[in-house]
Amino acid sequence: LKTVWARKHRLCALLRAAAAMGNCVRTPHASDPDGFGQLVGRARGCEIPDTARRGITSAQLRRVKAFVEGECVRRQWTSTNPAKGGEALQPNGVTLYDLNVYVIKASTRSRRCSYVELVSDAEQPPEWFVSHWWGEPVMHFVACLAQHAVDRRLPETAPYWVCAYANNQWALGNEVTVDPADSAFRRAMKIAKGTVSVLDAEARCYTRVWCSYEVYISLMVDRGGERYKYDLYTAIGKGEAVGYTDGPAEVDLEQGATVQWEFVGGALGHKARREERFPLAVAERALRVRLEGAEASEEADRRHILNAIAARDLEEEPLAQHASYDLVNGALRWRAYLSMYSSAASDAGRVRALGLDSIHEPDGWSERAAREYLYLSGSWAQGGRLDLAEHFGRRAITAGERALGLSNPRLAALYDNMARIQEQQGAYASSLELYERALAIWTTANGQDDKAAAAAFRSMGQVLEAQGQYDRAAELLQKAASLFAQCFGPEDTEVGVTYGLIARLHGIRGDHDRALEQQERALAILLKSLGNNHPTVASAYDSMAAEYERKAMFDQAAALYEKALAIKLKTLGEDHDAVASTYCGLAGVYEQQGSYDRALELFGRSLGVFEKRLGEDHPQVSATCMRMATVHSKMHSFDRALRLLERSRRICLKAFGEEHMELANLYSLMSVVLTQQGKYGRALELEERALAIKIKVHGEDHPCIAHSEGNLANLCERMGSSQRALELRQRSLDSLKKSFGEEHPDVAKGYGNMGSMYEKQGSLDRALELHEKSLAIFVKAYGHHHPMVGEAHGRIAQLFCKQGLQDRGLECYDRALVSFVRSEGEDGVGVARTYVLMAIAHRQKGSYDRALELNERGLATFIKALGPDHQEVAGAHGQLAALHELRGALDEALESHERALEIIRRACGREHPSVAGILSAIGGVHAKRGSLARAAEFHEEALAILTGALGQDHPQVARMYVTMAALHEKQGSYERAVELHQQALAIIDRAFGEEHPHVAAACNNLALLHSKHGKDDRALELYERALAIRTKAFGEGHPAVVSTREGISSLKQVR
């Protein structure tokens, strides 16, 4: 009864609609009495006996869309859905049920033919079969096929088979057969190259039995080796649609071959970007579909289709369950899983709730699955989600091994993909093993003289480079270059790219001249093969710029980065991640030159591009945050630096997990920032964690281990563990020598660091020996005219000055000056620094006029190089103030300090620790003028800034207490002075430990105060503690030990 009642209402609705249609038809002109001429266009109409060959083209569908938009309201169409009670229709609400009444049947009434026969001149064999639900809005349906045609690069004449337009709606009994295999649907699918399912928001097409049959044929029926595609499309509003295609669509292949996509995943990257808008909810509904629960307008259709799928008698009652149903359901679930994983993967809880990771390809689909998994793996790798890239890479290998056999070259491609992912994850041993497997397959199939083998050798060389196995890496990269030259000729792009990698390896090993020579060779090949305006050529300029940057030839480096940037902007546009990478390179040059604001501007621009192109959680975003954090730490903006590093940490953990080199590098950088803040315990913990990761990833002999040990040595030294620091420095140096040989610049730095340690311990002869070794290596690596050589001369000069040998120190400063002038020019930052250091040496000699001349020259050079508002300029003003103070020119001293204060406040803000240092110095000048109350005000302000910025327990706060104690002593406030010294001692005790030389210095200061005020017993106790610490740290002959013994002796004599 319910069925009869529903049919009665539907019949009444159709009659009302027909009446409305008849009442509102206009007669535009005599030749088109029904007003349907715009649908037909110039077509004369024809007979197409075979329904399967009645496809409808994109152009014909567009005319249908235009007709609906123009006529729906004008002709007062009403809904044919009984549930809507004949409500007026708007164009966006017209379904195929409505269109069938108002357009398809109305336009074909006189001829009693199919719609396609009305609007065509000849048969139109379908290129694609369309599976859909009639209740989908026609506008959405047309939008989906229009987007499909764009993505598949189909001409507007390419026909789609759509049952409503292909079937003769006046004689449906002739169109639908008892056996679905004989139906026009099935015959059309035999002609088409694939099926496109048009899904509405509820994926209702999967609840219709004919659609289920179409899915079954699309996914399950063997076409004799011919690949039949199955695409899914859905509307996403305002005439837009998005589709998940079976493999890369033609638009992906086309765009992937362009330079814009060459560096961001090619066709797979474009496919991933295109499909990321596919609504998760639509695909999710497909997971719940059960073929056996599908509905049909006619129960006979349902019975016949289910029995056909189960290979049973068509007229039997269909089974409630069958293995064939399960197979189709599994295939559809798997396709839905592939389409939705990209959207769902950002929510691990949802992935688990939907059971996505438990969904696998159907039996017999392994080869197809391996290909699909490879696509997904590549897309996720490009997107920075290496965990998901690995997940699908492993699935691809499992499916490929099962389907292809262990010697198939296509399996080698799967191994190669997984090797790249493992390389990015830092799993180098596993990566090498996979590359070797791939190489073995390719060489067996094609011999070693093969481009795939050459690519494998190159990839293996890069992994070995990352592992620090430089000799073996060089051997494989050279082999790859030779093979590429053999396969493609000596001037092929692949040869040029490989020479670029060889050049980088030379640079890492410290042979910068040879590196540049190879870079020039690579660039020449790339220019000849690609021309001047290609992104790969731009990348070669980037590489050369980086090499010049290592040589501290910053002008040349910046010019090359600018050249690379111009090419990339022209060929790739502003919002490309390759452009962002060059911004980072250029920012690094400005950072090294001390132009921090400009560096941050460029890093910020780079970060914006990476976030826009790759997403906020991509490793490139993390890397850029780390670079920006480094700049902020140099500007003493520690809180900003740590916020950026915390963001980077979250990204790294998500992308790489707990034990990746990126995380180790991050922990090292966080340790450096915390060290600057005086938080040594936390800094030590993070550096040790970084070292543990590096050892696990690379083993104990990699150069990065030496660098971490150097950082640990620095921390141990600050915390008073001098012997431990020395051991770590020695181990770091030995490791660097083992990796690079005796004459690498990193080894020179190691000698320099060791020299500085011995210098602090008072072993000045040993310190000089090590600094001279460092200088000799730098000279051999770079020649006499390099900033590193200038810095080495400067360290030796400072060592001589510390010994009171200012004349010898000035000779070394002269050499340093020549190195800086020849490498940077007369107005370089190194030149300015050297002038200021020379001024200090003359000041120590008492040559105040010469000191003043050099200090002013240094200041002028800083201003010329960096501008008047740079922190280095403030530092030069501070040194000038100290000189004026020594000369007794206190007004000039105050003026210089105030200039420095203005610069630092403008650059760093009013609450920066550097501001506190200048305020303290200004207080000192006021104290010398006898304005003790005014001096106290400046000291109190400085203390407030330090405690606010660094906390109560920072060593700088302790130093401020010592300065304030001296002032209180001058004011006669002995008790307050003692209290401040004790607070300083307590802070230094906590920060460095009880046996640090800084603790000894604090004890010495307090002892001296007590002795001045007759507290001899307390003074002696403190002197003896200081002596014990200094003797243990420095040994008996150190000047600090001698000084403390003299203090004790003097005190005993007085007593």
Side-chain angles (χ1 to χ4, degrees):
L1 286 173
K2 286 181 181 178
T3 303
V4 170
W5 187 253
R7 287 181 177 175
K8 177 181 176 184
H9 272 275
R10 184 166 181 78
L11 179 59
C12 291
L14 291 172
L15 289 172
R16 284 198 303 274
M21 178 185 68
N23 291 336
C24 62
V25 166
R26 303 289 188 270
T27 308
H29 49 78
S31 62
D32 182 21
D34 294 323
F36 293 113
Q38 61 182 293
L39 291 170
V40 176
R42 296 181 180 178
R44 299 184 302 276
C46 65
E47 289 186 15
I48 305 174
D50 187 354
T51 305
R53 306 183 81 78
R54 298 174 190 163
I56 186 168
T57 67
S58 297
Q60 290 164 343
L61 280 171
R62 276 203 308 276
R63 285 199 285 271
V64 170
K65 176 177 178 285
F67 187 83
V68 171
E69 289 172 331
E71 301 296 323
C72 172
V73 175
R74 190 173 74 82
R75 297 192 182 206
Q76 300 174 13
W77 292 352
T78 58
S79 175
T80 61
N81 186 342
K84 295 189 176 180
E87 70 180 37
L89 286 170
Q90 294 296 319
N92 284 335
V94 174
T95 69
L96 202 50
Y97 290 116
D98 303 318
L99 194 79
N100 190 41
V101 171
Y102 296 120
V103 178
I104 296 174
K105 293 192 74 173
S107 63
T108 59
R109 179 183 289 109
S110 61
R111 288 189 52 192
R112 301 278 168 158
C113 65
S114 70
Y115 181 82
V116 171
E117 290 174 298
L118 175 73
V119 299
S120 306
D121 288 326
E123 64 177 29
Q124 297 180 162
E127 290 195 27
W128 284 83
F129 180 91
V130 184
S131 179
H132 66 108
W133 173 54
W134 276 41
E136 169 95 7
V138 171
M139 296 302 183
H140 290 183
F141 177 86
V142 174
C144 286
L145 291 192
Q147 187 62 52
H148 182 264
V150 168
D151 293 343
R152 287 292 183 183
R153 289 296 189 251
L154 302 175
E156 65 174 15
T157 54
Y160 290 91
W161 199 90
V162 184
C163 63
Y165 304 105
N167 285 338
N168 185 341
Q169 299 299 326
W170 300 100
L172 285 176
N174 298 331
E175 303 286 7
V176 181
T177 61
V178 172
D179 189 346
D182 298 329
S183 67
F185 292 78
R186 181 70 182 91
R187 299 198 311 278
M189 294 176 82
K190 286 181 178 178
I191 298 169
K193 65 175 66 169
T195 293
V196 52
S197 276
V198 175
L199 308 181
D200 65 295
E202 302 296 324
R204 286 189 186 91
C205 77
Y206 289 135
T207 68
R208 309 302 296 171
V209 77
W210 270 107
C211 292
S212 297
Y213 177 73
E214 291 155 7
V215 170
Y216 160 70
I217 297 299
S218 301
L219 296 178
M220 308 305 298
V221 174
D222 184 12
R223 291 169 64 101
E226 183 184 354
R227 176 142 161 68
Y228 191 82
K229 298 182 177 66
Y230 180 61
D231 295 346
L232 304 172
Y233 274 72
T234 191
I236 54 175
K238 294 190 177 179
E240 293 186 52
V242 62
Y244 183 86
T245 57
D246 193 344
E250 283 69 9
V251 69
D252 303 321
L253 298 170
E254 176 188 295
Q255 291 299 311
T258 64
V259 291
Q260 285 84 356
W261 284 92
E262 181 180 354
F263 298 94
V264 285
L268 295 181
H270 189 272
K271 174 178 163 67
R273 181 65 55 84
R274 176 177 58 78
E275 293 174 346
E276 64 187 10
R277 296 191 302 161
F278 198 97
L280 182 59
V282 175
E284 189 177 327
R285 289 185 177 92
L287 292 178
R288 298 195 290 266
V289 169
R290 306 292 295 175
L291 169 68
E292 55 271 33
E295 301 170 347
S297 301
E298 299 293 335
E299 179 58 28
D301 288 346
R302 182 178 183 278
R303 182 172 65 251
H304 296 157
I305 287 171
L306 291 179
N307 283 327
I309 291 171
R312 300 176 72 244
D313 188 301
L314 298 180
E315 298 300 336
E316 288 183 353
E317 186 65 25
L319 297 172
Q321 293 180 330
H322 193 274
S324 294
Y325 302 163
D326 295 337
L327 195 59
V328 177
N329 290 334
L332 182 57
R333 277 171 58 80
W334 186 69
R335 291 298 300 179
Y337 149 82
L338 293 176
S339 67
M340 70 190 298
Y341 205 99
S342 295
S343 302
S346 58
D347 184 349
R350 196 163 192 184
V351 169
R352 286 193 299 271
L354 294 170
L356 293 184
D357 286 338
S358 65
I359 298 173
H360 291 273
E361 69 275 9
D363 291 341
W365 282 41
S366 293
E367 185 173 352
R368 184 175 189 174
R371 183 173 55 248
E372 292 289 346
Y373 292 144
L374 178 62
Y375 295 152
L376 281 168
S377 178
S379 298
W380 281 117
Q382 181 57 42
R385 287 296 304 273
L386 298 180
D387 53 339
L388 296 173
E390 181 185 8
H391 170 78
F392 284 107
R394 293 198 184 285
R395 279 197 168 199
I397 287 173
T398 300
E401 287 176 342
R402 188 163 51 237
L404 303 170
L406 297 180
S407 59
N408 192 308
R410 282 184 290 165
L411 180 62
L414 302 181
Y415 288 144
D416 184 77
N417 169 70
M418 191 64 197
R420 292 178 195 282
I421 295 164
Q422 296 276 272
E423 181 182 350
Q424 288 177 271
Q425 289 178 312
Y428 298 121
S430 174
S431 175
L432 271 180
E433 181 188 341
L434 286 160
Y435 278 131
E436 285 166 355
R437 278 197 219 172
L439 180 62
I441 294 172
W442 279 321
T443 52
T444 300
N446 306 316
Q448 282 212 359
D449 299 338
D450 176 66
K451 61 183 180 182
F457 282 126
R458 183 167 67 189
S459 298
M460 290 166 69
Q462 290 174 271
V463 175
L464 289 164
E465 176 195 308
Q467 288 184 304
Q469 298 184 44
Y470 301 126
D471 290 340
R472 180 72 176 130
E475 179 187 333
L476 289 181
L477 288 173
Q478 193 59 58
K479 190 168 189 176
S482 299
L483 282 176
F484 279 129
Q486 198 171 318
C487 293
F488 302 121
E491 295 181 345
D492 184 76
T493 302
E494 297 293 346
V495 178
V497 169
T498 310
Y499 280 139
L501 294 173
I502 294 169
R504 184 179 71 185
L505 187 57
H506 286 307
I508 290 170
R509 301 176 81 171
D511 192 345
H512 301 294
D513 291 335
R514 198 167 173 198
L516 281 171
E517 180 187 321
Q518 287 281 14
Q519 290 285 10
E520 292 283 0
R521 185 179 183 185
L523 180 62
I525 292 171
L526 294 173
L527 284 169
K528 190 165 185 178
S529 60
L530 300 173
N532 290 323
N533 292 309
H534 193 279
T536 302
V537 172
S539 295
Y541 285 130
D542 280 336
S543 298
M544 288 184 73
E547 204 55 55
Y548 277 113
E549 193 178 344
R550 289 189 197 102
K551 287 173 69 79
M553 299 172 73
F554 298 125
D555 290 342
Q556 293 92 325
L560 286 165
Y561 278 131
E562 292 284 5
K563 199 167 188 176
L565 188 60
I567 295 170
K568 290 181 181 181
L569 286 170
K570 183 177 179 180
T571 55
L572 304 174
E574 289 186 0
D575 292 332
H576 198 283
D577 32 326
V579 172
S581 296
T582 302
Y583 282 141
C584 280
L586 190 55
V589 173
Y590 283 112
E591 178 190 344
Q592 293 199 65
Q593 290 179 309
S595 300
Y596 299 134
D597 289 338
R598 179 65 175 140
L600 282 176
E601 179 194 338
L602 288 167
F603 279 133
R605 199 181 297 177
S606 172
L607 182 64
V609 174
F610 284 137
E611 287 175 334
K612 184 175 179 181
R613 286 281 295 185
L614 306 175
E616 294 194 351
D617 291 334
H618 194 279
Q620 285 281 23
V621 172
S622 168
T624 309
C625 286
M626 288 169 67
R627 298 286 302 272
M628 293 176 77
T630 302
V631 178
H632 279 298
S633 71
K634 288 179 179 179
M635 297 173 74
H636 288 197
S637 301
F638 301 126
D639 289 342
R640 284 187 189 179
L642 287 172
R643 281 198 298 273
L644 285 163
L645 291 175
E646 182 55 35
R647 180 184 179 191
S648 185
R649 187 184 72 85
R650 290 195 299 271
I651 296 170
C652 284
L653 285 172
K654 184 175 180 181
F656 304 121
E658 292 277 359
E659 294 178 344
H660 192 274
M661 275 299 297
E662 278 298 303
L663 204 61
N665 294 333
L666 172 69
Y667 287 146
S668 285
L669 186 50
M670 290 179 86
S671 174
V672 168
V673 176
L674 290 165
T675 299
Q676 289 174 292
Q677 287 186 300
K679 298 175 181 177
Y680 301 128
R682 177 67 176 142
L684 185 65
E685 177 189 333
L686 285 169
E687 192 59 63
E688 285 174 341
R689 194 185 302 180
L691 180 60
I693 294 171
K694 291 175 181 179
I695 289 172
K696 187 161 188 178
V697 171
H698 289 300
E700 296 197 349
D701 294 330
H702 193 276
C704 70
I705 308 299
H707 295 139
S708 254
E709 287 175 337
N711 293 340
L712 281 172
N714 181 46
L715 272 166
C716 289
E717 187 179 350
R718 286 171 180 265
M719 296 173 76
S721 302
S722 302
Q723 190 56 41
R724 174 72 176 140
L726 196 58
E727 289 170 6
L728 284 163
R729 290 276 184 218
Q730 188 63 57
R731 192 188 305 169
S732 171
L733 180 60
D734 291 344
S735 178
L736 289 169
K737 287 196 284 189
K738 185 175 179 181
S739 295
F740 297 123
E742 285 278 354
E743 296 176 349
H744 191 276
D746 281 3
V747 173
K749 290 175 189 174
Y751 281 127
N753 290 330
M754 289 276 287
S756 297
M757 277 205 68
Y758 279 110
E759 183 181 336
K760 288 172 186 173
Q761 291 182 346
S763 302
L764 302 185
D765 291 341
R766 178 65 175 143
L768 180 60
E769 178 190 338
L770 290 164
H771 282 311
E772 286 177 340
K773 264 191 177 180
S774 173
L775 173 63
I777 295 170
F778 280 133
V779 168
K780 187 163 186 178
Y782 298 125
H784 286 279
H785 306 135
H786 187 277
M788 296 302 293
V789 174
E791 287 178 19
H793 279 305
R795 282 192 292 272
I796 294 171
Q798 286 174 291
L799 186 60
F800 283 129
C801 289
K802 189 173 280 189
Q803 293 175 293
L805 303 172
Q806 273 74 26
D807 289 335
R808 288 193 68 183
L810 284 166
E811 289 174 13
C812 291
Y813 279 134
D814 283 335
R815 293 190 196 106
L817 193 60
V818 170
S819 294
F820 284 124
V821 168
R822 294 291 294 274
S823 59
E824 298 177 354
E826 292 279 355
D827 300 322
V829 173
V831 173
R833 286 190 190 123
T834 307
Y835 282 140
V836 173
L837 290 169
M838 291 172 79
I840 294 170
H842 279 288
R843 190 173 80 202
Q844 291 166 341
K845 285 179 66 176
S847 305
Y848 294 145
D849 291 341
R850 179 61 175 150
L852 183 62
E853 178 191 338
L854 287 165
N855 211 133
E856 287 178 340
R857 191 183 297 178
L859 177 60
T861 307
F862 271 134
I863 291 171
K864 197 166 184 180
L866 303 173
D869 295 328
H870 195 277
Q871 292 176 71
E872 293 267 22
V873 174
H877 278 302
Q879 291 297 338
L880 191 57
L883 181 57
H884 285 312
E885 213 173 317
L886 282 171
R887 298 172 70 221
L890 299 183
D891 289 341
E892 288 90 337
L894 274 178
E895 184 182 336
S896 291
H897 277 315
E898 282 164 0
R899 283 184 191 169
L901 181 63
E902 182 185 349
I903 292 168
I904 292 297
R905 278 177 169 166
R906 195 160 48 238
C908 305
R910 301 184 70 85
E911 305 300 321
H912 194 275
S914 296
V915 172
I918 299 170
L919 289 171
S920 176
I922 292 173
V925 176
H926 280 293
K928 283 187 176 180
R929 298 174 75 173
S931 305
L932 300 185
R934 184 77 175 121
E937 289 174 15
F938 279 100
H939 288 165
E940 291 289 349
E941 187 180 350
L943 179 65
I945 291 171
L946 289 173
T947 54
L950 305 174
Q952 295 280 352
D953 289 334
H954 195 279
Q956 285 194 46
V957 174
R959 285 195 286 274
M960 194 66 235
Y961 282 142
V962 172
T963 302
M964 293 171 74
L967 184 63
H968 279 286
E969 187 182 354
K970 280 185 179 180
Q971 291 175 310
S973 303
Y974 165 70
E975 296 297 335
R976 178 61 178 147
V978 168
E979 182 185 335
L980 288 165
H981 272 301
Q982 286 173 338
Q983 284 179 277
L985 177 57
I987 291 170
I988 292 169
D989 248 337
R990 285 193 296 272
F992 298 106
E994 294 183 351
E995 297 184 348
H996 195 281
H998 290 342
V999 174
C1003 289
N1004 222 62
N1005 291 334
L1006 187 50
L1008 184 60
L1009 179 62
H1010 282 310
S1011 68
K1012 283 180 181 178
H1013 292 83
K1015 306 290 184 181
D1016 296 343
D1017 291 343
R1018 182 68 182 127
L1020 186 59
E1021 181 185 335
L1022 287 161
Y1023 273 136
E1024 286 175 345
R1025 183 182 175 194
L1027 180 62
I1029 294 170
R1030 284 175 165 173
T1031 303
K1032 185 174 181 181
F1034 301 132
E1036 283 290 345
H1038 193 277
V1041 174
V1042 173
S1043 172
T1044 307
R1045 285 195 185 281
E1046 287 173 353
I1048 293 172
S1049 175
S1050 175
L1051 185 61
K1052 286 180 177 178
Q1053 285 175 7
V1054 170
R1055 293 178 71 189

